[in-house]
Amino acid sequence: MESQPLNSNQQLERLPNATAVLVLGICSILFGCVLVGFVCGIVGLALAKTPMAMYRQNPQKYINYGALNAGRILSIIGVILGAIAIIWAIIGGLILGQSAFLFSDLFEDLLDL
């Protein structure tokens, strides 16, 4: 669909939720090593979906696409960092659980002596 040029009487609009997406993207980076960062990134990506579609339909109508795009990119990075942190925590928990199981057998053997 081709976008039409703006008339002199049309005003530029701000994309909805662009600031919220940017804030959530920044929070997802800051809290990337905690589950909160993962959730902020997913919410930021969900909020960015509709304004991105609006911008693609008529790019000349909106002025704050840069903030929306930056927030979306930060949200993607935050989701990746959060996923890595969750996987790391699961692996660490499995290793600690296994080592505790092994040491409990060792302590039982020592107590039997």
Side-chain angles (χ1 to χ4, degrees):
M1 184 175 191
E2 288 189 34
S3 58
Q4 299 173 356
L6 291 175
N7 296 332
S8 61
N9 60 356
Q10 289 180 323
Q11 292 183 353
L12 295 175
E13 296 178 21
R14 299 181 71 79
L15 285 165
N17 297 332
T19 305
V21 171
L22 183 61
V23 169
L24 286 168
I26 291 170
C27 288
S28 71
I29 295 287
L30 289 177
F31 303 116
C33 295
V34 187
L35 186 63
V36 175
F38 185 74
V39 172
C40 285
I42 290 176
V43 172
L45 288 174
L47 284 178
K49 190 174 184 178
T50 303
M52 291 290 284
M54 290 171 57
Y55 179 79
R56 287 188 184 119
Q57 286 180 352
N58 194 357
Q60 289 84 19
K61 188 177 177 181
Y62 302 104
I63 58 173
N64 60 342
Y65 175 73
L68 178 69
N69 196 33
R72 186 171 83 44
I73 291 169
L74 289 174
S75 293
I76 291 170
I77 294 170
V79 166
I80 292 170
L81 287 176
I84 290 171
I86 290 170
I87 291 169
W88 188 265
I90 290 171
I91 291 172
L94 290 174
I95 290 171
L96 284 175
Q98 183 65 29
S99 64
F101 179 72
L102 291 174
F103 281 120
S104 68
D105 288 343
L106 177 67
F107 288 133
E108 284 179 8
D109 290 341
L110 288 174
L111 291 175
D112 287 342
L113 293 176

